[in-house]
Amino acid sequence: MATLKDVAALAGISYTTVSHVINNTRPVSPAVRVKVEAAIARLNYVPSGVARSLKARATSTIGLLVPNGINPYFAELARGIEDYCERNGYSVILCNSDDDPTKQRNYLRILLEKRIDGLILASGGEDAGFAQALGAVRIPRVVVDRGLDGVEADTLRIDHELGGYLATRHLIELGHRAIACICGPAHTGVAKLRVRGYRRALDEIGLAPPADYLLETDFSSPGGYRAAAQLLDGAAMPSAIFAGNDMIGIGVLRAAAERGLRVPEQLSVIGFDDIQMSRYVYPALSTVGQSILRLGEMAAERLLALIAAPRADAKGHTHIVAPALVLRESTAPPAGADPTNRHGGGR
């Protein structure tokens, strides 16, 4: 690999002058600049970003840590973050922790070694070691979607409880009373809040779902498929299912299709997140959410603002985005429902 000294030797000028041309740190004559640029092109020289960052004390690079890189939600979020950063002269290093605390801590160390200017964290959970490691570092950071106990940071998240409430309320207003919920991992704050919204909507009309109507799984289509199979093969099949995210909802659609159940005629399904894939499954999945790309852009915008002008207060600010119902083809009144009486209590 060519070095700065190789460029200087080929151009026939000093090492220092080449450095001034590359870094624009001092005016040089047009003729000298042409010589340097020609030597760089001939040698395919690539300036050292590390060396320049040490000198400038900035790398124009941010880190992005997500818990599940194959989940379309985080892929779309990353795209929004990357697009905004690219437009503003920043690069993004993406790390996927697989919800593994050890992997998450290792990636944090690696990102800090890369001298990133800031960090967007879309991971989390109960990991005191990670919180302690991040808390000891003075670096601008923004937490998206999942909160992280013990970490002071600007936070951007959907109102998960409201989303769970809106999804369940929609099913109630259609006339459903036998409404099950397949939630995400109970140890995550996201799942807890969405279930809280589900329960609140049922409480308002005096419904207490049976214990077997609330199932926990991971935020994936296989997890949704397994949980739905358990529900749909049970003695008291629900007429509607609120899925803790769209991936779970897609798994529910598969389980229903295998059993010959027509959605939404025999089973209504509603998800959460509004990932792009939810528009193209059949039937198209009703859901609750907000533009994921826009959330990513908002997170990146907040982080770059913190990098440009760090605040004195370390506690950080929380910005909560209201979700909205996105109604498609997977929800409808239950068979035999009275369309004139969809708001009363009881089953």
Side-chain angles (χ1 to χ4, degrees):
M1 181 179 291
T3 66
L4 197 67
K5 290 182 179 179
D6 295 330
V7 174
L10 182 61
I13 55 180
S14 72
Y15 171 93
T16 304
T17 300
V18 173
S19 177
H20 289 321
V21 171
I22 292 173
N23 296 301
N24 291 313
T25 50
R26 184 175 298 174
V28 297
S29 70
V32 169
R33 182 173 293 278
V34 167
K35 284 184 179 181
V36 172
E37 290 174 349
I40 288 173
R42 183 173 173 183
L43 295 172
N44 291 318
Y45 171 71
V46 178
S48 170
V50 173
R52 285 193 297 179
S53 68
L54 289 172
K55 189 171 184 179
R57 297 187 179 182
T59 61
S60 295
T61 303
I62 70 163
L64 171 59
L65 189 52
V66 301
N68 184 351
I70 64 173
N71 185 327
Y73 175 88
F74 294 108
E76 291 178 35
L77 185 74
R79 180 59 184 268
I81 291 168
E82 185 180 26
D83 285 352
Y84 186 88
C85 287
E86 192 274 335
R87 293 196 302 269
N88 289 275
Y90 277 78
S91 299
V92 180
I93 300 175
L94 173 63
C95 298
N96 169 37
S97 72
D98 288 321
D99 270 324
D100 181 335
T102 300
K103 200 172 181 180
Q104 185 169 250
R105 289 193 293 271
N106 287 340
Y107 273 136
L108 175 63
R109 176 182 53 79
I110 291 168
L111 289 171
L112 294 175
E113 288 175 356
K114 298 292 185 183
R115 296 180 178 270
I116 55 172
D117 296 337
L119 175 67
I120 296 178
L121 178 67
S123 186
E126 298 177 1
D127 183 2
F130 179 79
Q132 184 177 10
L134 186 57
V137 179
R138 296 180 65 85
I139 183 173
R141 60 265 193 139
V142 173
V143 175
V144 185
D145 191 57
R146 302 184 182 186
L148 181 61
D149 295 339
V151 173
E152 299 290 359
D154 275 37
T155 302
L156 175 69
R157 68 174 177 85
I158 290 282
D159 190 332
H160 299 290
E161 181 177 350
L162 176 60
Y165 173 84
L166 291 175
T168 310
R169 188 70 198 177
H170 168 62
L171 297 173
I172 290 170
E173 291 178 349
L174 287 174
H176 293 278
R177 295 297 178 266
I179 304 171
C181 173
I182 302 177
C183 68
H187 69 272
T188 64
V190 168
K192 290 176 184 175
L193 289 169
R194 293 177 185 180
V195 170
R196 188 182 299 171
Y198 160 77
R199 292 187 180 279
R200 177 158 67 93
L202 295 179
D203 286 345
E204 285 184 352
I205 62 167
L207 277 180
D212 56 0
Y213 267 22
L214 180 58
L215 282 76
E216 176 188 348
T217 187
D218 52 69
F219 283 121
S220 72
S221 293
Y225 173 84
R226 291 190 298 269
Q230 182 178 334
L231 270 173
L232 300 179
D233 292 339
M237 193 187 87
S239 67
I241 296 176
F242 164 46
N245 75 349
D246 289 347
M247 295 301 289
I248 292 174
I250 290 169
V252 173
L253 293 179
R254 174 71 187 187
E258 286 187 354
R259 287 156 179 77
L261 293 171
R262 298 189 308 278
V263 176
E265 293 85 357
Q266 294 174 289
L267 177 71
S268 282
V269 183
I270 189 167
F272 200 119
D273 283 336
D274 191 23
I275 62 174
Q276 288 189 15
M277 190 186 302
S278 65
R279 301 162 173 80
Y280 301 106
V281 295
Y282 183 79
L285 186 66
S286 292
T287 186
V288 181
Q290 186 58 262
S291 169
I292 304 170
L293 285 173
R294 178 58 189 141
L295 283 176
E297 291 179 344
M298 290 169 66
E301 182 179 16
R302 182 83 290 261
L303 182 64
L304 297 195
L306 288 173
I307 292 171
R311 289 197 314 266
D313 61 313
K315 290 186 177 181
H317 299 160
T318 297
H319 182 65
I320 298 178
V321 180
L325 276 171
V326 183
L327 302 181
R328 298 193 178 104
E329 302 165 355
S330 65
T331 52
D338 179 359
T340 65
N341 182 25
R342 295 183 184 169
H343 299 274
R347 289 193 180 275

